[in-house]
Amino acid sequence: MKNLSVVGLGYIGLPTAILAAQHGYKVYGFDVNQEKISKIKSGDPTIIEPKIVSRLNEVIKNKNFFVDIELKEADCFLIAVPTPLMNDKKEPDLSYVFSACQTISSVLKPGNLIILESTVPVGTTFCISKFLEKKSGLKLGVDFFVAYCPERVLPGRIFEELVSNERVIGGICQESSHLANKFYSKFVKGKLYLTDDRTAEMVKLVENGSRDVQIAFANQVADMCYKAKIDPFRVIEFANKHPRVNILNPGCGVGGHCLAVDPWFLVRGFKRDSNLLKISRSINDERPFKVVNYVIKQVEKLKKKGIEKPKILVLGLTFKPDVDDLRNSPALKICLELNKKTELFEMGVCEPNLVSDRIIKLGFSNVKELVDGVKWADIILPLVKHKDFFGIKYFNLKDKLVVDVCGLFYNSIEFFIQGAIFDKNENYDRDKLFYSKDIGGY
Ligand SMILES: NC(=O)c1ccc[n+]([C@@H]2O[C@H](COP(=O)([O-])OP(=O)(O)OC[C@H]3O[C@@H](n4cnc5c(N)ncnc54)[C@H](O)[C@@H]3O)[C@@H](O)[C@H]2O)c1
């Protein structure tokens, strides 16, 4: 295998294409988005990832990477197109995968290998294999080969993890697994585990399902703690001192293209055996609305105290810390909901990972200077734990109402700030409990 065509040049496809080009493959990149193609051709990767600009320009300059709006013939095709949910129905939308296969079928040649990296429901690799067989007239497992190899990278560390992560390869037949193993061995240092297509598909889905369930548990721990007037972040830290307990962090919800989506592939595919996943999805999905309701309550409290139009500073919009990705972001959901109620309060959003234009286009007032924003606000609402926010000093927060949903100020050195939210107990004056001079003291 000497050359590779990558179908879909997004967060997964583009870094993989670049890395393969840096490891001796001649790589052709193909995407249906023409604007993206022109930008990538000119050296703009269109996504933020450490060192991606220099790596992209290097492989273009060395003539190891070419991008085009037409799919080129190759020895190997790697599919990394989106697999979202269909609107409201929560059913997997595989139209991008099939459309990619339709395009591949027109250039498929004997001896080719197709690798599917998009996250898909169990059975999809076999379906696309049959589809390719029908469309191309070539014989599956004889003339061409298909393998599923899910991606596990963490945005922000994609290039490191593409090399170091262990991976599972599920071939439609042994020869498919063997060829895919050969393909990845050129640039992956992590161990490669060979199995069948269905096992590999299930592995990816249960990985993401497991994390979603664990986050839902952490969110429920937080809700219980808030009602009991206990700091959930402290409880989780101490519970995790147990050698066999590892509770994740609670937050304002679950977003992104993976955890908020993939568990539905299991829920829809295995209706009777996936209650836990379904409940976890709803716990995580309702989280942003809980935060909105709580914030509105705090606004009303401040109004009663004489602040006519309280000012809210939101910290973070993206779906996770230190990325520029807004897909399914719960923080964005919260801000969009709050934005519908601005007759009650003023709202500014500080998101250091996005350019001002993007924030303004979403309909928000952009707060560029964090320090000024903190001074201006009556309510501070950290939603995403970006490292740019770590420098906020407690004394600037002294007269503010802090609704710390993501634990940004937990373990603040000088003060312990109790991120009490969702408290329904009317007699509980949470404002008094916001600051406690003794770390962890009640
Ligand atoms: N981003 C991640 O961290 C991550 C991690 C693991 C798995 N995945 C999975 O990988 C897949 C791709 O995710 P992504 O984040 O790279 O998506 P993305 O939206 O960033 O990129 C997908 C690209 O595919 C292109 N595309 C759509 N249809 C096409 C077609 N028919 N032919 C050619 N190009 C087409 C789009 O224009 C887009 O540029 C998804 O299934 C996702 O769930 C993503």
Side-chain angles (χ1 to χ4, degrees):
M1 267 179 291
K2 291 199 173 105
N3 48 49
L4 161 76
S5 265
V6 176
V7 185
L9 297 174
Y11 285 91
I12 296 300
L14 183 61
T16 309
I18 295 172
L19 199 70
Q22 287 181 312
H23 283 80
Y25 288 105
K26 183 149 276 204
V27 182
Y28 307 106
F30 166 71
D31 201 291
V32 286
N33 182 336
Q34 300 206 2
E35 197 188 332
K36 193 174 253 190
I37 288 292
S38 323
K39 283 191 175 165
I40 295 174
K41 245 184 196 167
S42 72
D44 170 5
T46 74
I47 55 168
I48 293 182
E49 192 61 33
K51 301 215 176 102
I52 192 167
V53 176
S54 56
R55 283 176 186 260
L56 172 63
N57 283 282
E58 175 201 309
V59 290
I60 292 176
K61 194 171 144 226
N62 294 345
K63 298 200 181 338
N64 292 323
F65 184 43
F66 307 87
V67 274
D68 207 341
I69 45 164
E70 266 178 31
L71 182 63
K72 295 274 184 296
E73 286 182 7
D75 301 323
C76 175
F77 295 88
L78 189 146
I79 306 173
V81 297
T83 45
L85 294 170
M86 283 190 251
N87 279 349
D88 296 335
K89 289 189 203 153
K90 308 284 187 198
E91 294 284 351
D93 178 357
L94 296 177
S95 60
Y96 302 91
V97 173
F98 278 94
S99 148
C101 290
Q102 172 82 45
T103 317
I104 293 172
S105 70
S106 62
V107 294
L108 202 63
K109 292 274 177 303
N112 281 172
L113 167 71
I114 294 110
I115 298 174
L116 178 61
E117 284 207 1
S118 302
T119 308
V120 291
V122 175
T124 308
T125 308
F126 183 68
C127 285
I128 66 155
S129 303
K130 286 305 203 186
F131 178 84
L132 283 162
E133 189 172 47
K134 199 171 157 197
K135 293 279 166 189
S136 67
L138 297 175
K139 188 106 186 81
L140 174 65
V142 178
D143 296 328
F144 74 99
F145 304 89
V146 184
Y148 178 66
C149 184
E151 191 47 76
R152 291 169 160 167
V153 289
L154 182 71
R157 283 184 41 82
I158 293 187
F159 286 106
E160 287 89 338
E161 294 209 355
L162 274 174
V163 174
S164 63
N165 283 356
E166 299 193 326
R167 297 184 75 140
V168 177
I169 295 172
I172 207 88
C173 58
Q174 276 195 358
E175 183 61 7
S176 298
S177 295
H178 171 69
L179 286 172
N181 183 40
K182 235 172 146 181
F183 166 74
Y184 285 109
S185 296
K186 260 199 175 173
F187 59 90
V188 175
K189 291 217 171 75
K191 199 163 177 196
L192 298 167
Y193 299 91
L194 305 195
T195 181
D196 61 277
D197 51 324
R198 292 167 71 81
T199 303
E201 288 166 338
M202 191 58 133
V203 167
K204 174 66 188 173
L205 296 177
V206 298
E207 282 169 11
N208 285 349
S210 148
R211 285 186 66 76
D212 200 41
V213 168
Q214 289 180 57
I215 295 171
F217 178 67
N219 283 334
Q220 291 228 303
V221 168
D223 282 353
M224 291 186 280
C225 287
Y226 292 135
K227 289 211 176 114
K229 298 166 207 160
I230 302 166
D231 183 344
F233 296 96
R234 178 81 47 203
V235 167
I236 290 171
E237 184 194 334
F238 287 171
N240 285 347
K241 302 287 179 202
H242 184 295
R244 284 166 294 282
V245 170
N246 184 19
I247 304 171
L248 301 183
N249 290 323
C252 69
V254 169
H257 38 80
C258 290
L259 298 200
V261 173
D262 305 344
W264 286 110
F265 296 1
L266 290 172
V267 172
R268 288 291 173 248
F270 306 92
K271 287 194 175 76
R272 292 190 176 192
D273 305 299
S274 54
N275 288 351
L276 183 60
L277 287 162
K278 199 172 172 188
I279 289 172
S280 303
R281 271 288 70 238
S282 66
I283 290 169
N284 290 335
D285 270 353
E286 74 180 16
R287 200 93 189 136
F289 301 101
K290 278 191 165 186
V291 175
V292 169
N293 290 340
Y294 185 78
V295 171
I296 302 288
K297 270 192 200 155
Q298 301 317 305
V299 166
E300 281 157 6
K301 262 193 193 175
L302 290 189
K303 278 176 176 292
K304 277 186 194 146
K305 283 185 181 166
I307 303 178
E308 203 181 306
K309 215 165 179 200
K311 302 182 200 83
I312 303 175
L313 173 68
V314 177
L315 299 178
L317 261 191
T318 57
F319 89 85
K320 64 192 280 186
D322 307 319
V323 297
D324 65 336
D325 195 342
L326 286 172
R327 287 180 287 178
N328 299 316
S329 164
L332 175 61
K333 240 174 247 167
I334 290 168
C335 290
L336 290 171
E337 280 303 307
L338 287 174
N339 225 17
K340 292 177 190 162
K341 304 191 161 79
T342 44
E343 73 281 0
L344 299 175
F345 49 80
E346 286 179 57
M347 186 172 88
V349 175
C350 182
E351 176 44 84
N353 299 292
L354 297 178
V355 293
S356 302
D357 252 15
R358 215 161 150 208
I359 297 171
I360 293 163
K361 268 190 196 142
L362 289 164
F364 306 129
S365 155
N366 180 34
V367 175
K368 270 196 203 146
E369 293 303 325
L370 182 58
V371 177
D372 296 343
V374 170
K375 269 188 208 151
W376 163 84
D378 301 302
I379 298 177
I380 311 286
L381 179 60
L383 296 178
V384 194
K385 220 168 158 182
H386 291 316
K387 49 179 181 284
D388 299 75
F389 300 147
F390 290 170
I392 300 176
K393 293 277 179 243
Y394 91 91
F395 49 80
N396 291 328
L397 299 174
K398 223 168 173 183
D399 306 316
K400 317 283 177 187
L401 192 69
V402 181
V403 182
D404 189 3
V405 191
C406 63
L408 176 68
F409 299 114
Y410 174 62
N411 264 350
S412 151
I413 291 165
E414 300 102 325
F415 264 52
F416 166 56
I417 300 166
Q418 181 165 322
I421 65 162
F422 314 144
D423 190 342
K424 296 215 169 81
N425 184 347
E426 293 298 313
N427 301 322
Y428 165 44
D429 184 357
R430 61 183 290 288
D431 293 358
K432 275 193 194 146
L433 284 166
F434 256 115
Y435 298 98
S436 153
K437 285 203 177 180
D438 314 310
I439 292 183
Y442 293 92

